[in-house]
Amino acid sequence: MGLAAGQNLGRESRQLVTVEVTDARLATLIGNTRPEARAENDQGKVAQSLALKHMLLQLKRPPEREAAFEGFIDELHDPKSANFHRWLTPAQVGELYGPNQADVDRVTSWLESRGFVVDTVYPSGMTIDFSGTAGQVAMAFHTEIHRLLVNGKEHIANMSDPRIPAALSPVVEGVVSLHDFRPHRLSRSRRQFTDPTGPINSGTTLLVTPADVAAIYNLNPLLNGGVTGQGQTIAVLEDSDFYSTGDWSTFRSTFGLSKYSSGSLTTIHPNAGGSSCTDPGADTYFGDDAEAEADAEMATTAAPGATIEVASCADTATTFGVQIAAQNLVNSSTLPSIMEVSYGECESLNGTASNAAFNSAYQQGVAEGISTFVATGDEGAAACDSTPYGSYIWAAVDGAAVNGIASSPYDVAVGGTDFSDTYSNTASTYWNTTNSASFGSAKGYIPEIPWNDTCASTLINSSLGNSTPTYGSSGLCNSTAAVFDGLISTVGAGGGASNCATGNVDFSTGGGAFSKGCTGYAKPSWQAGILGNPSDGMRDLPDVSLFASDGFAWLHTYIFCFTDPNNGGATCDSNPADWAESGGTSFAAPLMAGIQALINQKTGSLQGLPNYYYYKLASNEYGASGSSSCNSSNGLTVSSSCVFYDVTMGDINVPCAGNVNCFDSNASFIDGISYFPGAFSSTTFPNPHTGFPGATQRGSQSAGTYGVLSTSHSAYAPAYNATSGWDFATGIGTVNAYNLANAWSTIAAPAVVTGAQREKGRTQK
């Protein structure tokens, strides 16, 4: 049972630090060294005086207090509980469910005794922000910070897992990050075929606008009825500001969203004590300004009456700005209604402490009523194998893996789809030949398939007239066409089972998903039992999906106003067809966040973790055998009562090479390098995850160089196909927003706390 929200039980948290704090006996904080921290990349120690500001030390509660907190969160979402919707403040989270205050004091005293400045102890008691130098880190944590050169890029990183006095280990999870390898944004500018005469690169690209989104996912009855997200604040978490805030205004005015006068945009740099969040400015070098603008524009697409906050924090030498923003937002005195994150890094590469920090922040947010939406990733089921922008060939070598920033059981993981009308040659059935005044042309719901741009896609394979499997000597993935058309990649919607969120990550046999010694998050109660979800005991992704294609294979993608000329931007003139084109699950996640803002407004309540309700509604709809009337393939004839559209055709399968989760590949995987026996001479393929320079393909194309990512190495068990009910390709499917909002009351009772817009008190620009 949970603890009633009004009880002051902070002093009753069991003290875990019970012996003298000394270096005589040390404990290793396992799972917190990047695989690139190897001799091959080592350029020597950094200067011992190198300033490392705003490092984060993640703490943990006593196990019984963690169990109580989890039980309380269940009660927050149970209409029959006295604690239903009794959301907590950050201070209450610390008082009721934080570590013992004496333990927190012992940790902060130890940090200060080693010369660090403790900048902030967050109200939750779960995270400490501290600053120091590389020399102090080496002395206190017994690990050196070195300079690395990886694939021609300079980095810094700790060379071994940190070690701390064993007396502190029961309360310390780890240092969130001691390196500068950043998660990557999950948006992709529209990619053209390498071969401009490629066989499926024909026809007219259909650009998806806000009016199209509203028609396809049935937002119009809500918007026309005044349910626009008014009173809700959606915070999109970034490490960059906008390139130009005028882009957001142009986007809204061009597409008819400016008529919703309550909608607004602010840029904030949230702080919860100390000065850990500083203004990052517009990141025009790495292009993260594109992510900030896409997130905000997609959020206002679905919730044009909501307040959109770009909550941006600069990266420090070792800490990801989005992680700083998350900690500061959930510990703020003025909390958002919804948070959204569009960055990715697979669980093993993210590291045990960073995974724990994201999980803790999302969990705290849920207890405060905040709903968090995270993109599942753009690498299919191979989250450790991100296809580099502009790469020639890139197949998965690290096995099946998921995005560690999305795999927490306390967020809604949002996957991605494409539309199947191009595949079925039925575009005229679903799109008008002329646009409306707001540039909409979709007639209504359009059948969907999982977003997949690769040669392993069974739909791409069949569309090319192939009767053979995608793998094997005569398969598409081993054809010249696949190489020249750019189909050997890992680009597609993310999905899979959590498998390396916690524990010791051992990269000795390679890198990424198949690292030894770690395990995933356990399956949450609300996910178990729904049709299609496996009895694997693990947290499975995604939860829901929305359109996310980059337009590569089936010629549908988003347009958004983004004018940075250095990163794929374009002048936002009077013709939106000239604007920037892009896709990725980072477009789907803020759209779903916006839909949740509509639900919050309609119900008059914050909702915490919507998965409690999504899965109940989906279970009711799919039952034990699925719902033929709600099958996405029905398109315009799908039942008008569907809450979810069940995507049952297609897959997120990707090509692979190596000997892990890879069926029918002749490539070998030795000491972290994938050696390809065929393909094209003198072509080097860097592997950023292992820190090795890559492998060189030699000779002519040989049979079976590329296999298909599979849950079995000896059989074709593709990762993963869309099926009836829940599946790894699209989760419980996509949504009818109007029906979802109306069905909410059948699951949740009237709330105690209203969803009125919270007072703003953060620093604004």
Side-chain angles (χ1 to χ4, degrees), residues 522-545:
K523 188 181 296 295
S525 60
W526 40 260
Q527 191 169 55
I530 187 171
L531 174 69
N533 188 257
S535 300
D536 56 2
M538 297 289 103
R539 163 72 162 123
D540 296 319
L541 276 62
D543 297 310
V544 295
S545 296

PDB file of all heavy atoms in Angstrom, residues 522-545:
ATOM      1  N   ALA A 522      11.769  -4.149 -15.439  1.00  0.00           N
ATOM      2  CA  ALA A 522      10.717  -5.162 -15.335  1.00  0.00           C
ATOM      3  C   ALA A 522       9.426  -4.660 -15.982  1.00  0.00           C
ATOM      4  O   ALA A 522       9.172  -3.451 -16.055  1.00  0.00           O
ATOM      5  CB  ALA A 522      10.465  -5.516 -13.873  1.00  0.00           C
ATOM      6  N   LYS A 523       8.624  -5.598 -16.448  1.00  0.00           N
ATOM      7  CA  LYS A 523       7.361  -5.227 -17.085  1.00  0.00           C
ATOM      8  C   LYS A 523       6.426  -4.587 -16.064  1.00  0.00           C
ATOM      9  O   LYS A 523       6.150  -5.156 -15.008  1.00  0.00           O
ATOM     10  CB  LYS A 523       6.687  -6.457 -17.696  1.00  0.00           C
ATOM     11  CG  LYS A 523       5.463  -6.103 -18.548  1.00  0.00           C
ATOM     12  CD  LYS A 523       4.801  -7.348 -19.117  1.00  0.00           C
ATOM     13  CE  LYS A 523       5.680  -8.108 -20.080  1.00  0.00           C
ATOM     14  NZ  LYS A 523       5.989  -7.335 -21.304  1.00  0.00           N
ATOM     15  N   PRO A 524       5.912  -3.390 -16.349  1.00  0.00           N
ATOM     16  CA  PRO A 524       4.956  -2.757 -15.436  1.00  0.00           C
ATOM     17  C   PRO A 524       3.608  -3.461 -15.494  1.00  0.00           C
ATOM     18  O   PRO A 524       3.247  -4.069 -16.512  1.00  0.00           O
ATOM     19  CB  PRO A 524       4.858  -1.321 -15.973  1.00  0.00           C
ATOM     20  CG  PRO A 524       5.284  -1.418 -17.404  1.00  0.00           C
ATOM     21  CD  PRO A 524       6.272  -2.535 -17.488  1.00  0.00           C
ATOM     22  N   SER A 525       2.869  -3.358 -14.421  1.00  0.00           N
ATOM     23  CA  SER A 525       1.605  -4.092 -14.313  1.00  0.00           C
ATOM     24  C   SER A 525       0.621  -3.701 -15.394  1.00  0.00           C
ATOM     25  O   SER A 525      -0.131  -4.539 -15.909  1.00  0.00           O
ATOM     26  CB  SER A 525       0.978  -3.847 -12.932  1.00  0.00           C
ATOM     27  OG  SER A 525       0.723  -2.456 -12.742  1.00  0.00           O
ATOM     28  N   TRP A 526       0.603  -2.424 -15.787  1.00  0.00           N
ATOM     29  CA  TRP A 526      -0.385  -1.979 -16.764  1.00  0.00           C
ATOM     30  C   TRP A 526      -0.103  -2.502 -18.163  1.00  0.00           C
ATOM     31  O   TRP A 526      -0.973  -2.481 -19.023  1.00  0.00           O
ATOM     32  CB  TRP A 526      -0.470  -0.449 -16.805  1.00  0.00           C
ATOM     33  CG  TRP A 526       0.831   0.284 -16.709  1.00  0.00           C
ATOM     34  CD1 TRP A 526       1.357   0.878 -15.598  1.00  0.00           C
ATOM     35  CD2 TRP A 526       1.795   0.492 -17.765  1.00  0.00           C
ATOM     36  NE1 TRP A 526       2.581   1.446 -15.883  1.00  0.00           N
ATOM     37  CE2 TRP A 526       2.872   1.233 -17.196  1.00  0.00           C
ATOM     38  CE3 TRP A 526       1.853   0.151 -19.108  1.00  0.00           C
ATOM     39  CZ2 TRP A 526       3.984   1.625 -17.949  1.00  0.00           C
ATOM     40  CZ3 TRP A 526       2.964   0.528 -19.856  1.00  0.00           C
ATOM     41  CH2 TRP A 526       4.006   1.258 -19.284  1.00  0.00           C
ATOM     42  N   GLN A 527       1.121  -3.000 -18.425  1.00  0.00           N
ATOM     43  CA  GLN A 527       1.436  -3.503 -19.764  1.00  0.00           C
ATOM     44  C   GLN A 527       1.164  -4.990 -19.904  1.00  0.00           C
ATOM     45  O   GLN A 527       0.953  -5.476 -21.019  1.00  0.00           O
ATOM     46  CB  GLN A 527       2.905  -3.214 -20.104  1.00  0.00           C
ATOM     47  CG  GLN A 527       3.264  -3.466 -21.555  1.00  0.00           C
ATOM     48  CD  GLN A 527       4.630  -2.927 -21.923  1.00  0.00           C
ATOM     49  OE1 GLN A 527       5.619  -3.246 -21.292  1.00  0.00           O
ATOM     50  NE2 GLN A 527       4.678  -2.109 -22.961  1.00  0.00           N
ATOM     51  N   ALA A 528       1.129  -5.705 -18.820  1.00  0.00           N
ATOM     52  CA  ALA A 528       0.952  -7.151 -18.877  1.00  0.00           C
ATOM     53  C   ALA A 528      -0.481  -7.519 -19.246  1.00  0.00           C
ATOM     54  O   ALA A 528      -1.437  -6.878 -18.809  1.00  0.00           O
ATOM     55  CB  ALA A 528       1.318  -7.773 -17.528  1.00  0.00           C
ATOM     56  N   GLY A 529      -0.625  -8.536 -20.059  1.00  0.00           N
ATOM     57  CA  GLY A 529      -1.939  -9.109 -20.326  1.00  0.00           C
ATOM     58  C   GLY A 529      -2.639  -8.621 -21.571  1.00  0.00           C
ATOM     59  O   GLY A 529      -3.598  -9.247 -22.020  1.00  0.00           O
ATOM     60  N   ILE A 530      -2.192  -7.512 -22.164  1.00  0.00           N
ATOM     61  CA  ILE A 530      -2.849  -7.038 -23.373  1.00  0.00           C
ATOM     62  C   ILE A 530      -2.527  -7.970 -24.536  1.00  0.00           C
ATOM     63  O   ILE A 530      -1.428  -8.518 -24.625  1.00  0.00           O
ATOM     64  CB  ILE A 530      -2.434  -5.591 -23.703  1.00  0.00           C
ATOM     65  CG1 ILE A 530      -3.262  -5.052 -24.877  1.00  0.00           C
ATOM     66  CG2 ILE A 530      -0.943  -5.494 -23.988  1.00  0.00           C
ATOM     67  CD1 ILE A 530      -3.059  -3.567 -25.125  1.00  0.00           C
ATOM     68  N   LEU A 531      -3.461  -8.178 -25.422  1.00  0.00           N
ATOM     69  CA  LEU A 531      -3.271  -9.042 -26.571  1.00  0.00           C
ATOM     70  C   LEU A 531      -2.000  -8.670 -27.326  1.00  0.00           C
ATOM     71  O   LEU A 531      -1.793  -7.509 -27.678  1.00  0.00           O
ATOM     72  CB  LEU A 531      -4.475  -8.932 -27.514  1.00  0.00           C
ATOM     73  CG  LEU A 531      -4.359  -9.681 -28.844  1.00  0.00           C
ATOM     74  CD1 LEU A 531      -4.386 -11.183 -28.618  1.00  0.00           C
ATOM     75  CD2 LEU A 531      -5.468  -9.249 -29.805  1.00  0.00           C
ATOM     76  N   GLY A 532      -1.136  -9.633 -27.553  1.00  0.00           N
ATOM     77  CA  GLY A 532       0.071  -9.434 -28.334  1.00  0.00           C
ATOM     78  C   GLY A 532       1.318  -9.161 -27.531  1.00  0.00           C
ATOM     79  O   GLY A 532       2.428  -9.428 -28.003  1.00  0.00           O
ATOM     80  N   ASN A 533       1.172  -8.634 -26.316  1.00  0.00           N
ATOM     81  CA  ASN A 533       2.365  -8.321 -25.538  1.00  0.00           C
ATOM     82  C   ASN A 533       2.942  -9.603 -24.949  1.00  0.00           C
ATOM     83  O   ASN A 533       2.228 -10.355 -24.288  1.00  0.00           O
ATOM     84  CB  ASN A 533       2.037  -7.326 -24.430  1.00  0.00           C
ATOM     85  CG  ASN A 533       3.291  -6.841 -23.720  1.00  0.00           C
ATOM     86  OD1 ASN A 533       3.602  -7.274 -22.623  1.00  0.00           O
ATOM     87  ND2 ASN A 533       4.010  -5.937 -24.358  1.00  0.00           N
ATOM     88  N   PRO A 534       4.233  -9.872 -25.165  1.00  0.00           N
ATOM     89  CA  PRO A 534       4.798 -11.152 -24.752  1.00  0.00           C
ATOM     90  C   PRO A 534       4.987 -11.260 -23.243  1.00  0.00           C
ATOM     91  O   PRO A 534       5.113 -10.261 -22.543  1.00  0.00           O
ATOM     92  CB  PRO A 534       6.158 -11.169 -25.458  1.00  0.00           C
ATOM     93  CG  PRO A 534       6.520  -9.719 -25.591  1.00  0.00           C
ATOM     94  CD  PRO A 534       5.227  -9.001 -25.835  1.00  0.00           C
ATOM     95  N   SER A 535       5.048 -12.483 -22.780  1.00  0.00           N
ATOM     96  CA  SER A 535       5.314 -12.748 -21.360  1.00  0.00           C
ATOM     97  C   SER A 535       6.821 -12.811 -21.152  1.00  0.00           C
ATOM     98  O   SER A 535       7.387 -13.834 -20.731  1.00  0.00           O
ATOM     99  CB  SER A 535       4.642 -14.055 -20.943  1.00  0.00           C
ATOM    100  OG  SER A 535       3.244 -13.995 -21.131  1.00  0.00           O
ATOM    101  N   ASP A 536       7.493 -11.703 -21.458  1.00  0.00           N
ATOM    102  CA  ASP A 536       8.949 -11.665 -21.381  1.00  0.00           C
ATOM    103  C   ASP A 536       9.459 -11.078 -20.076  1.00  0.00           C
ATOM    104  O   ASP A 536      10.661 -11.054 -19.824  1.00  0.00           O
ATOM    105  CB  ASP A 536       9.521 -10.877 -22.561  1.00  0.00           C
ATOM    106  CG  ASP A 536       8.956  -9.467 -22.678  1.00  0.00           C
ATOM    107  OD1 ASP A 536       8.147  -9.064 -21.815  1.00  0.00           O
ATOM    108  OD2 ASP A 536       9.314  -8.761 -23.650  1.00  0.00           O
ATOM    109  N   GLY A 537       8.547 -10.566 -19.242  1.00  0.00           N
ATOM    110  CA  GLY A 537       8.946  -9.988 -17.970  1.00  0.00           C
ATOM    111  C   GLY A 537       9.605  -8.638 -18.077  1.00  0.00           C
ATOM    112  O   GLY A 537      10.008  -8.062 -17.065  1.00  0.00           O
ATOM    113  N   MET A 538       9.734  -8.085 -19.279  1.00  0.00           N
ATOM    114  CA  MET A 538      10.464  -6.845 -19.507  1.00  0.00           C
ATOM    115  C   MET A 538       9.525  -5.717 -19.952  1.00  0.00           C
ATOM    116  O   MET A 538       8.481  -5.950 -20.544  1.00  0.00           O
ATOM    117  CB  MET A 538      11.531  -7.045 -20.589  1.00  0.00           C
ATOM    118  CG  MET A 538      12.630  -8.043 -20.247  1.00  0.00           C
ATOM    119  SD  MET A 538      13.772  -7.438 -18.976  1.00  0.00           S
ATOM    120  CE  MET A 538      13.199  -8.335 -17.530  1.00  0.00           C
ATOM    121  N   ARG A 539       9.940  -4.495 -19.678  1.00  0.00           N
ATOM    122  CA  ARG A 539       9.285  -3.311 -20.217  1.00  0.00           C
ATOM    123  C   ARG A 539       9.471  -3.308 -21.729  1.00  0.00           C
ATOM    124  O   ARG A 539      10.595  -3.391 -22.229  1.00  0.00           O
ATOM    125  CB  ARG A 539       9.909  -2.062 -19.594  1.00  0.00           C
ATOM    126  CG  ARG A 539       9.645  -0.741 -20.325  1.00  0.00           C
ATOM    127  CD  ARG A 539       8.220  -0.279 -20.165  1.00  0.00           C
ATOM    128  NE  ARG A 539       8.073   1.138 -20.489  1.00  0.00           N
ATOM    129  CZ  ARG A 539       7.236   1.606 -21.412  1.00  0.00           C
ATOM    130  NH1 ARG A 539       6.496   0.778 -22.125  1.00  0.00           N
ATOM    131  NH2 ARG A 539       7.133   2.909 -21.611  1.00  0.00           N
ATOM    132  N   ASP A 540       8.374  -3.249 -22.461  1.00  0.00           N
ATOM    133  CA  ASP A 540       8.410  -3.332 -23.914  1.00  0.00           C
ATOM    134  C   ASP A 540       8.009  -2.008 -24.547  1.00  0.00           C
ATOM    135  O   ASP A 540       7.130  -1.299 -24.042  1.00  0.00           O
ATOM    136  CB  ASP A 540       7.467  -4.434 -24.403  1.00  0.00           C
ATOM    137  CG  ASP A 540       7.879  -5.817 -23.931  1.00  0.00           C
ATOM    138  OD1 ASP A 540       9.085  -6.104 -23.947  1.00  0.00           O
ATOM    139  OD2 ASP A 540       6.994  -6.603 -23.539  1.00  0.00           O
ATOM    140  N   LEU A 541       8.658  -1.696 -25.668  1.00  0.00           N
ATOM    141  CA  LEU A 541       8.415  -0.445 -26.395  1.00  0.00           C
ATOM    142  C   LEU A 541       7.957  -0.771 -27.812  1.00  0.00           C
ATOM    143  O   LEU A 541       8.379  -1.795 -28.366  1.00  0.00           O
ATOM    144  CB  LEU A 541       9.702   0.388 -26.474  1.00  0.00           C
ATOM    145  CG  LEU A 541      10.088   1.294 -25.320  1.00  0.00           C
ATOM    146  CD1 LEU A 541      10.333   0.475 -24.046  1.00  0.00           C
ATOM    147  CD2 LEU A 541      11.346   2.090 -25.660  1.00  0.00           C
ATOM    148  N   PRO A 542       7.134   0.128 -28.429  1.00  0.00           N
ATOM    149  CA  PRO A 542       6.581   1.375 -27.894  1.00  0.00           C
ATOM    150  C   PRO A 542       5.254   1.141 -27.178  1.00  0.00           C
ATOM    151  O   PRO A 542       4.760   0.013 -27.125  1.00  0.00           O
ATOM    152  CB  PRO A 542       6.363   2.206 -29.166  1.00  0.00           C
ATOM    153  CG  PRO A 542       6.022   1.188 -30.210  1.00  0.00           C
ATOM    154  CD  PRO A 542       6.843  -0.034 -29.877  1.00  0.00           C
ATOM    155  N   ASP A 543       4.695   2.227 -26.670  1.00  0.00           N
ATOM    156  CA  ASP A 543       3.346   2.178 -26.106  1.00  0.00           C
ATOM    157  C   ASP A 543       2.316   2.516 -27.172  1.00  0.00           C
ATOM    158  O   ASP A 543       1.363   1.771 -27.388  1.00  0.00           O
ATOM    159  CB  ASP A 543       3.229   3.130 -24.909  1.00  0.00           C
ATOM    160  CG  ASP A 543       4.147   2.726 -23.775  1.00  0.00           C
ATOM    161  OD1 ASP A 543       4.120   1.543 -23.388  1.00  0.00           O
ATOM    162  OD2 ASP A 543       4.923   3.581 -23.296  1.00  0.00           O
ATOM    163  N   VAL A 544       2.491   3.648 -27.818  1.00  0.00           N
ATOM    164  CA  VAL A 544       1.620   4.070 -28.912  1.00  0.00           C
ATOM    165  C   VAL A 544       2.507   4.582 -30.038  1.00  0.00           C
ATOM    166  O   VAL A 544       3.713   4.775 -29.859  1.00  0.00           O
ATOM    167  CB  VAL A 544       0.623   5.170 -28.482  1.00  0.00           C
ATOM    168  CG1 VAL A 544      -0.350   4.654 -27.445  1.00  0.00           C
ATOM    169  CG2 VAL A 544       1.374   6.394 -27.951  1.00  0.00           C
ATOM    170  N   SER A 545       1.916   4.837 -31.201  1.00  0.00           N
ATOM    171  CA  SER A 545       2.660   5.358 -32.340  1.00  0.00           C
ATOM    172  C   SER A 545       1.824   6.382 -33.090  1.00  0.00           C
ATOM    173  O   SER A 545       0.597   6.394 -32.980  1.00  0.00           O
ATOM    174  CB  SER A 545       3.048   4.220 -33.301  1.00  0.00           C
ATOM    175  OG  SER A 545       3.933   3.310 -32.700  1.00  0.00           O
TER     176      SER A 545
END
